[in-house]
Amino acid sequence: MSEQAALFEPQFLKQLDRLALLTRRNIAGQMQGERRSPRRGSSVEYADFKPYTPGDDFRQIDWNLYARLEKFFLKLFVAEEEITLHLLIDTSASMDWGEPNKLRYAAQAAGALGYIALASLDRAQVTSFGGGNEQRIPAGRGRAGVPPLFNLLSQLKGNGNTSLLQASRRYVQTARVAGPLLLCSDLLTPDWEEALRTLGRRPFEITVLHVLSPDELNPPFEGDLKLLDAEGGEALDISADLDLLQRYVERLQAWREEVEHFCTTRGINYIFVDTSLPLESLLVSVLRERQIVR
């Protein structure tokens, strides 16, 4: 089975071809792409004029302006340049859980956005981190970058615990250029606040995709249980009655609201997703409404 087939049905990719990434900032890239840049270059949309000086390209002279002012001016255009989409995926053991599985859902969401970027001649690079094991593919460009992207994403496995803070520190130190950044995680780590602060020290346009499974939102348990920490913590014996489950749901909701408040007050785009939400709805409805894609 190909990596593409392992992640998506062909008809789903055809839907992605009709979408494009949105960015709130003008970011100067390295090569020509398909979006606005703060630089001046050559495209079809006027940006400004400047006086002609010897050595300038005379083909850009505005002859209509010369006819009125009898002076030479060059037409400047809005340059169209690429951006780099940064995809960060938490592969800790807690992510490889739930039905539908959180890690697979995160891989598909990242793969879909990466595909949209690459199909628009932008760059996309993916980094996975979990259990001290970090995998990264460099920023690919264009459709040639799709196979290595899908290859990595289709093989992700959950492993051990994760220091989101350490992973964020390494990333801000090694990322060559800024751009839109998508963090896919369940945030089940005590250092999530400092990790997001760390990512915010670079001019990334951050979106947090907070991924939880239906079983985490409304546990289908009752009676005496032994809870095992997937990331190596101590086991916990509980008696799951209605009162305990209600208190759990309330605490979980309060925590989600805390994360959302933390993000929104810092200009971070926070998107909570239940993995039972169809991926198509996430891409076409939720991310479009939040102006991540158009």
Side-chain angles (χ1 to χ4, degrees):
M1 180 182 293
S2 70
E3 295 83 3
Q4 174 176 312
L7 282 176
F8 306 111
E9 296 293 333
Q11 57 267 31
F12 182 71
L13 294 180
K14 292 180 181 179
Q15 288 183 283
L16 299 184
D17 283 327
R18 298 195 291 268
L19 299 176
L21 289 180
L22 288 175
T23 177
R24 296 190 298 270
R25 303 172 183 170
N26 284 332
I27 301 173
Q30 297 173 312
M31 297 178 64
Q32 189 174 28
E34 295 187 349
R35 66 187 66 249
R36 289 172 176 267
S37 164
R39 298 176 183 167
R40 297 292 181 255
S42 179
S43 71
V44 297
E45 185 176 349
Y46 285 105
D48 206 346
F49 300 90
K50 84 175 189 70
Y52 174 85
T53 57
D56 286 338
D57 185 354
F58 66 88
R59 292 174 298 179
Q60 302 300 329
I61 292 175
D62 189 312
W63 295 106
N64 291 328
L65 199 58
Y66 174 78
R68 298 203 311 269
L69 303 178
E70 297 186 352
K71 292 182 180 179
F72 293 116
F73 289 88
L74 296 186
K75 294 178 286 187
L76 299 178
F77 301 88
V78 175
E80 294 175 341
E81 297 189 14
E82 66 179 9
I83 61 169
T84 296
L85 172 66
H86 302 262
L87 301 167
L88 275 63
I89 303 178
D90 180 356
T91 58
S92 58
S94 69
M95 281 288 288
D96 196 6
W97 191 85
E99 185 59 42
N101 183 272
K102 290 186 290 182
L103 183 54
R104 177 167 176 79
Y105 195 94
Q108 289 181 310
L113 282 180
Y115 179 88
I116 293 169
L118 293 169
S120 300
L121 299 181
D122 287 320
R123 291 186 180 272
Q125 70 178 39
V126 60
T127 300
S128 66
F129 52 90
N133 180 30
E134 183 172 291
Q135 300 181 73
R136 180 181 299 190
I137 58 171
R141 184 174 188 267
R143 292 183 185 271
V146 172
L149 174 73
F150 283 5
N151 181 56
L152 186 149
L153 292 174
S154 65
Q155 299 181 46
L156 292 180
K157 298 184 183 303
N159 180 31
N161 58 9
T162 291
S163 172
L164 187 56
L165 176 57
Q166 291 180 12
S168 298
R169 284 173 174 166
R170 286 194 298 270
Y171 201 81
V172 299
Q173 291 169 357
T174 57
R176 295 181 58 188
V177 296
L181 183 149
L182 177 73
L183 171 64
C184 301
S185 174
D186 56 15
L187 300 182
L188 295 178
T189 173
D191 57 9
W192 63 267
E193 290 183 69
E194 190 56 38
L196 294 180
R197 287 193 185 97
T198 297
L199 291 175
R201 293 183 185 127
R202 289 285 300 274
F204 294 119
E205 189 174 324
I206 302 171
T207 296
V208 173
L209 192 66
H210 190 186
V211 184
L212 294 177
S213 73
D215 288 350
E216 288 171 312
L217 297 172
N218 292 288
F221 309 127
E222 60 181 355
D224 295 332
L225 303 168
K226 181 183 289 289
L227 302 183
L228 301 177
D229 188 340
E231 299 186 7
E234 295 182 359
L236 180 65
D237 293 314
I238 67 167
S239 293
D241 56 21
L242 290 177
D243 179 63
L244 179 64
L245 293 176
Q246 181 61 33
R247 283 186 284 130
Y248 166 84
V249 170
E250 291 172 355
R251 289 284 298 275
L252 180 63
Q253 179 62 28
W255 173 61
R256 284 173 46 198
E257 292 173 357
E258 177 188 353
V259 176
E260 182 173 17
H261 177 75
F262 180 92
C263 291
T264 54
T265 56
R266 288 164 177 79
I268 297 173
N269 204 346
Y270 173 81
I271 298 175
F272 169 75
V273 61
D274 170 348
T275 59
S276 64
L277 178 72
L279 191 66
E280 180 180 349
S281 298
L282 173 67
L283 269 292
V284 177
S285 299
V286 178
L287 296 189
R288 179 175 281 172
E289 179 181 331
R290 300 296 293 272
Q291 297 187 318
I292 306 299
V293 300
R294 60 174 170 83

